[in-house]
Amino acid sequence: MEYKIGDVYKNEAFPNRISTIIDISPNVDYDGGLSCFVMANTNGEITFSVEYEMQLKEWCEKTNADLPKYESLSKEELQRLSKYKIGETYLHTESPDLLYTIVSMSPVKDFQNRLSYFCEVQDNSGDIWYDVHSEGDMERVLKKVDSNNKAKE
């Protein structure tokens, strides 16, 4: 992958947004590419999303833009604030064949004062891909699973 953590880029599809890669997936997805957890700044509002390697290659260009400074939360603050922990697995209640495992979390809250989570998603066939959920999405559609990947009551 030609992109690395800390790279800043512009996506031609979103000209007012500047993004920074804050983490890279530990595994390739079902298409054989890596995924990036990105922090995007659009007119001063911070959001988090995922960019797939193919998207970065086709639509994104590295830039030297100066980003607004933000104060990152410490790991202790993140753990205290976070309801969800890295490495935990959740069942998607609207698509019960999908399991979400948290890979990392955002270093700051977004413009709506929520943390975001970078998740590895696996379906029943074993295919994996990556997705980002905010705290509100996590609470709404994901349920913690036990060691047998069954939803906890």
Side-chain angles (χ1 to χ4, degrees):
M1 172 177 254
E2 58 191 76
Y3 289 86
K4 62 186 183 310
I5 293 173
D7 280 352
V8 178
Y9 66 91
K10 283 188 158 195
N11 183 325
E12 66 183 44
F14 304 99
N16 293 331
R17 184 171 82 184
I18 297 173
S19 299
T20 305
I21 297 172
I22 57 175
D23 201 0
I24 297 174
S25 63
N27 299 302
V28 295
D29 63 22
Y30 62 90
D31 280 336
L34 293 172
S35 299
C36 294
F37 185 27
V38 300
M39 179 174 67
N41 187 309
T42 307
N43 302 323
E45 289 187 347
I46 293 176
T47 58
F48 296 91
S49 62
V50 65
E51 290 277 2
Y52 302 102
E53 189 169 5
M54 177 203 65
Q55 291 172 313
L56 288 168
K57 287 179 181 175
E58 291 182 17
W59 302 317
C60 299
E61 181 181 332
K62 288 182 188 178
T63 182
N64 291 325
D66 288 329
L67 295 175
K69 300 296 180 214
Y70 66 91
E71 188 152 335
S72 174
L73 298 169
S74 70
K75 286 188 181 203
E76 293 77 25
E77 288 174 302
L78 283 171
Q79 288 176 349
R80 184 177 49 76
L81 290 171
S82 176
K83 185 175 180 178
Y84 305 96
K85 306 295 180 220
I86 293 171
E88 288 183 342
T89 299
Y90 298 85
L91 182 71
H92 196 291
T93 58
E94 295 173 358
S95 300
D97 62 326
L98 300 180
L99 291 173
Y100 282 66
T101 301
I102 298 174
V103 175
S104 64
M105 65 183 77
S106 60
V108 296
K109 292 185 174 189
D110 65 16
F111 75 101
Q112 293 179 323
N113 202 32
R114 301 175 305 189
L115 291 173
S116 292
Y117 300 87
F118 186 44
C119 301
E120 182 175 279
V121 184
Q122 185 170 10
D123 65 16
N124 287 340
S125 72
D127 283 346
I128 65 170
W129 63 93
Y130 291 84
D131 197 5
V132 172
H133 276 299
S134 69
E135 286 174 309
D137 291 338
M138 297 283 285
E139 290 170 8
R140 188 175 55 79
V141 298
L142 299 181
K143 187 168 191 149
K144 187 149 174 52
V145 297
D146 61 20
S147 59
N148 296 318
N149 290 336
K150 302 289 183 211
K152 289 185 175 183
E153 294 303 322

